[in-house]
Amino acid sequence: PVTTSTTSTTSSTVVSTNDGSQQQQGQQRRRPLGHRWAIAADGVDLSGDWELIVTDDFRKEYDRYLERLGQPKLVRSVAIGIIGQTTDQVLQMDQGRSLLIVGKNIRGTWTRTLVSSGTDTTTGAESYKPLRVPIVTADAETVQAESWWENDGTVHVSWLRGVTKYGGGSFESRRYLEENGNVYVCESTFHPNDATKERNTLTWKFRRQQPNK
């Protein structure tokens, strides 16, 4: 399906300064409309080296999350024991159209690139076509990934569809920043294909290894 939208602009005003020079106020900028953007808002950048924040409450939530995915107690115990060694390296490119994520833990490395589609500002096009790209999951499954930005370009949303593990379903992730950009949040939700099963959600929070001042 093709979704339609338009773009808007903000006006700019040239004012004189005390030294007689001129400068522009309100930099002119095209802005996508609608709820789904291909790009991030100005000033929103998820790039960084991030380390997982692990608390006792998080360990309990992680155990429940794995249990609802059908993981046995032994597997959950091992996973909880090594979870503190989890890091994410994120590189946001092309105004947020591409998001390269390298996740690492003691089990290995999971590298994937999420490509966003939605309303844009570079061409002023009034329509877009949702883009799905194949990626390999941490469980070595090839699935279809679809991504975009919501909340006026501040929240990155991605869906991994075609998952066969855990009874089949889709993974949704919502990524955004908190605490002046020093905390990176990923709300992960598994949506089962079986309508009789409930959604399974876990919120991951990562601390920037080199905090912003």
Side-chain angles (χ1 to χ4, degrees), residues 50-107:
W50 306 93
E51 56 186 0
L52 183 64
I53 301 171
V54 180
T55 64
D56 289 340
D57 286 342
F58 176 79
R59 287 190 176 93
K60 293 176 183 177
E61 292 169 4
Y62 186 46
D63 183 56
R64 287 193 291 267
Y65 177 77
L66 294 175
E67 184 178 18
R68 290 192 291 266
L69 287 178
Q71 299 301 299
K73 186 173 182 179
L74 178 59
V75 172
R76 303 198 315 266
S77 297
V78 172
I80 293 169
I82 64 175
I83 193 62
Q85 302 179 51
T86 300
T87 63
D88 260 10
Q89 183 180 42
V90 182
L91 178 60
Q92 183 173 308
M93 299 171 286
D94 196 15
Q95 294 184 290
R97 291 179 180 86
S98 293
L99 204 64
L100 172 64
I101 305 173
V102 181
K104 295 182 179 179
N105 60 29
I106 199 171
R107 294 175 55 196

Side-chain angles (χ1 to χ4, degrees), residues 108-159:
T109 301
W110 178 27
T111 302
R112 66 275 197 199
T113 299
L114 301 172
V115 182
S116 298
S117 58
T119 55
D120 208 334
T121 63
T122 57
T123 62
E126 295 184 351
S127 63
Y128 70 88
K129 184 176 182 179
L131 176 65
R132 292 188 180 184
V133 297
I135 69 167
V136 178
T137 70
D139 296 309
E141 278 195 292
T142 300
V143 299
Q144 296 295 311
E146 185 177 355
S147 308
W148 61 89
W149 290 87
E150 289 185 357
N151 291 20
D152 290 335
T154 61
V155 178
H156 186 273
V157 180
S158 62
W159 280 74

Side-chain angles (χ1 to χ4, degrees), residues 1-59:
V2 175
T3 305
T4 61
S5 183
T6 58
T7 59
S8 65
T9 60
T10 57
S11 61
S12 60
T13 303
V14 177
V15 297
S16 297
T17 61
N18 291 332
D19 61 5
S21 63
Q22 290 184 330
Q23 67 182 29
Q24 197 172 43
Q25 287 186 338
Q27 188 71 24
Q28 190 171 19
R29 179 182 183 274
R30 303 191 68 163
R31 180 180 183 276
L33 294 180
H35 300 294
R36 173 172 169 157
W37 293 10
I39 60 174
D42 284 348
V44 174
D45 191 348
L46 304 183
S47 298
D49 294 319
W50 306 93
E51 56 186 0
L52 183 64
I53 301 171
V54 180
T55 64
D56 289 340
D57 286 342
F58 176 79
R59 287 190 176 93

